[in-house]
Amino acid sequence: MACHGATGIFHGSLGRKRMGFLVLMFLVLFSMMAFHVQRQWMFVRDTTLLETLECYRLQSGAKKNNCSSLTDTRSWTRNETVIKDIQEKVKQFFDPRSNISLLQSQVKPGDRIWFLESHLFWHPSVTVSQNFHNMLPSRPPLENKHFRKCAVVGNSGILFNSGCGKEIDTHDFVFRCNLPELEGHERDVGTKSNFTTMNPSVMFTYYKDFAEPKLKERFIKRLRRLEGGILFIPAFVAKSEKHHVQWTNDIILKHNINVRTAYPSPDMEKWIRRYWKSTEYRVARPSSGMWMYTFAASLCDEVHLYGMYPFDIDRYGRNIKYHYYDPRPFATMYGGHDMPIEFQVFKSLHEKGALRLQTDKCQASR
Ligand SMILES: *[C@@H]1O[C@H](CO)[C@@H](O)[C@H](O)[C@H]1NC(C)=O
Ligand SMILES: *[C@@H]1O[C@H](CO)[C@@H](O)[C@H](O)[C@H]1NC(C)=O
Ligand SMILES: *[C@@H]1O[C@H](CO)[C@@H](O)[C@H](O)[C@H]1NC(C)=O
Ligand SMILES: *[C@@H]1O[C@H](CO)[C@@H](O)[C@H](O)[C@H]1NC(C)=O
């Protein structure tokens, strides 16, 4: 009996059947939780794609400097058939011309909106305030829009000293990710901004929640540089960012900043994910760069990508910063997105003539 000392309590008070039930319940809960974590944070790695990846630092710290397989932009030609096909396919899931933002007519003050983030027993929500309702566009910001040549500019350190600024500014419509710094980098990244995303967390990561007045000034100055462009704020991703969204809205109103705000529906992530799932590519949790490309692909005849380079060495073996504008060390977690896989997807689309992926300095500055 001594051996059963510890479990004897359960046998005595609960009985075998109930014990079995508890274990079963525990297993069910555990697998639900594991599934949840998996869905939120893990990637389905397509290893056949990764095998072709030749340009990254190995975990041992040694460089794997064989970037000869990077994209060649000089011999690139666009393939009309492939481009049209993508445009048709995206349309089956959503159309950025009508669905890029929630509209005033779609919600009213007092309505509840559920965040994208969801937990096992808890799905956070927010009530639409009168002020927020006023910030929603009354008409779709990209209604009936069509552009010939678009640039989608990521923030990779590959742009540092690239001299791509002039080339980027020649595009009719320029997308930028996460309110990046332009000042002092115009030669490399240009100045044109027609559609800029802003993850509300940048207010903490780059503006330190306005710990000093000059940081607030810098933020206001940065918003002013959008000069009437669209500011796309994924406001319904995480509830913890609610106050950052609120501050941004207050600043835009109080300082009379000339931007057109867009707040994607919390369903946007689902639409984009479904589109990619319908393709031959595996993109488990599309990053904002992937979102921008998906928008551009359906709005533009020709899409050129810059600064989408998730590796820390370039084709010449030089070290690459994480972002062209900040000294932060290179991160390989990529905020829960699988950037190397996304890069491979872009590279494959480049080779098919669907988009042009710039992974080198620009012509003029070579
Ligand atoms: C470098 O990459 C090319 C193209 O992918 C490949 O053919 C070659 O074998 C690689 N060289 C080394 C040393 O890994
Ligand atoms: C465009 O792509 C399609 C489908 O991949 C292919 O059949 C066609 O030959 C390509 N056209 C050109 C001009 O390369
Ligand atoms: C996109 O907008 C159109 C027009 O407002 C609407 O009919 C459609 O349902 C929207 N699509 C999705 C996926 O919500
Ligand atoms: C894009 O933005 C620039 C200023 O950054 C502006 O001059 C240009 O007219 C905009 N283009 C479109 C199509 O809105």
Side-chain angles (χ1 to χ4, degrees):
M1 279 313 282
C3 305
H4 297 270
T7 53
I9 307 163
F10 291 105
H11 282 283
S13 55
L14 288 169
R16 234 175 240 285
K17 262 194 193 151
R18 220 177 287 177
M19 182 66 193
F21 178 72
L22 279 180
V23 167
L24 188 71
M25 279 306 285
F26 173 78
L27 283 177
V28 166
L29 277 181
F30 181 79
S31 37
M32 273 168 75
M33 218 140 73
F35 176 74
H36 185 76
V37 169
Q38 151 88 19
R39 197 176 55 118
Q40 296 264 307
W41 295 110
M42 312 280 271
F43 331 110
V44 185
R45 271 191 186 259
D46 186 335
T47 47
T48 53
L49 275 176
L50 270 185
E51 272 161 23
T52 63
L53 211 60
E54 305 277 3
C55 199
Y56 63 108
R57 196 182 296 272
L58 296 173
Q59 268 171 352
S60 63
K63 282 181 187 178
K64 186 174 180 189
N65 182 12
N66 183 8
C67 312
S68 55
S69 57
L70 284 183
T71 56
D72 180 2
T73 43
R74 275 162 297 183
S75 62
W76 179 84
T77 50
R78 63 192 285 276
N79 184 317
E80 185 78 23
T81 324
V82 175
I83 289 171
K84 284 270 172 324
D85 185 52
I86 292 174
Q87 291 177 344
E88 286 308 309
K89 280 216 185 103
V90 173
K91 242 187 237 158
Q92 292 167 15
F93 297 86
F94 73 105
D95 186 350
R97 291 178 182 83
S98 39
N99 308 113
I100 203 81
S101 177
L102 279 178
L103 303 175
Q104 284 183 344
S105 58
Q106 291 170 327
V107 287
K108 52 185 189 309
D111 281 358
R112 274 227 277 182
I113 296 180
W114 275 267
F115 287 90
L116 178 62
E117 90 176 300
S118 73
H119 305 274
L120 198 49
F121 299 114
W122 177 54
H123 196 177
S125 67
V126 64
T127 307
V128 176
S129 66
Q130 183 63 56
N131 279 349
F132 180 71
H133 193 259
N134 293 342
M135 299 293 289
L136 288 174
S138 52
R139 301 294 319 161
L142 290 166
E143 193 170 29
N144 300 325
K145 293 284 190 224
H146 173 243
F147 310 107
R148 206 177 60 78
K149 257 177 82 177
C150 297
V152 179
V153 187
N155 298 331
S156 157
I158 195 84
L159 281 170
F160 190 76
N161 273 334
S162 68
C164 287
K166 269 205 190 109
E167 190 179 308
I168 288 172
D169 281 344
T170 62
H171 293 78
D172 303 310
F173 201 80
V174 177
F175 294 84
R176 294 186 193 267
C177 295
N178 218 6
L179 202 67
E181 201 54 72
L182 303 180
E183 201 171 304
H185 303 282
E186 290 87 346
R187 217 189 126 262
D188 293 332
V189 302
T191 61
K192 207 184 247 192
S193 301
N194 301 101
F195 190 106
T196 303
T197 67
M198 182 192 134
N199 183 333
S201 64
V202 295
M203 295 188 72
F204 176 72
T205 44
Y206 285 100
Y207 299 94
K208 305 290 169 234
D209 281 353
F210 306 149
E212 297 162 48
K214 73 171 203 290
L215 291 170
K216 187 169 178 181
E217 288 308 308
R218 195 153 68 82
F219 183 67
I220 294 170
K221 198 170 159 203
R222 181 64 193 88
L223 290 181
R224 287 202 194 287
R225 276 201 82 159
L226 298 175
E227 296 172 329
I230 294 170
L231 179 64
F232 177 86
I233 307 176
F236 307 111
V237 172
K239 183 158 187 167
S240 56
E241 294 299 330
K242 205 178 103 177
H243 61 292
H244 286 143
V245 175
Q246 187 64 50
W247 289 0
T248 309
N249 292 347
D250 290 348
I251 284 172
I252 291 170
L253 287 177
K254 185 162 167 233
H255 297 269
N256 222 345
I257 290 167
N258 178 21
V259 286
R260 285 175 294 150
T261 43
Y263 307 86
S265 152
D267 289 335
M268 176 69 85
E269 208 257 357
K270 186 174 73 193
W271 303 333
I272 294 178
R273 201 158 23 84
R274 284 188 184 155
Y275 162 68
W276 284 98
K277 215 174 159 187
S278 79
T279 69
E280 68 194 276
Y281 301 112
R282 290 281 151 268
V283 187
R285 269 185 95 232
S287 69
S288 45
M290 210 71 189
W291 285 35
M292 292 307 101
Y293 164 68
T294 314
F295 300 157
S298 51
L299 294 163
C300 318
D301 293 339
E302 208 171 297
V303 181
H304 296 227
L305 304 188
Y306 297 86
M308 300 281 192
Y309 189 82
F311 310 117
D312 59 354
I313 49 173
D314 70 3
R315 65 177 73 212
Y316 309 108
R318 288 178 303 206
N319 290 329
I320 294 293
K321 304 200 299 175
Y322 188 47
H323 286 157
Y324 68 80
Y325 52 83
D326 76 21
R328 273 204 296 178
F330 200 87
T332 46
M333 280 310 291
Y334 311 109
H337 304 288
D338 200 348
M339 300 305 198
I341 287 289
E342 293 191 4
F343 180 83
Q344 289 302 90
V345 171
F346 288 143
K347 185 168 161 250
S348 165
L349 289 168
H350 170 99
E351 279 148 15
K352 288 183 179 169
L355 56 82
R356 182 174 162 280
L357 174 61
Q358 181 78 30
T359 54
D360 200 352
K361 289 171 184 285
C362 284
Q363 292 283 345
S365 70
R366 250 193 235 134

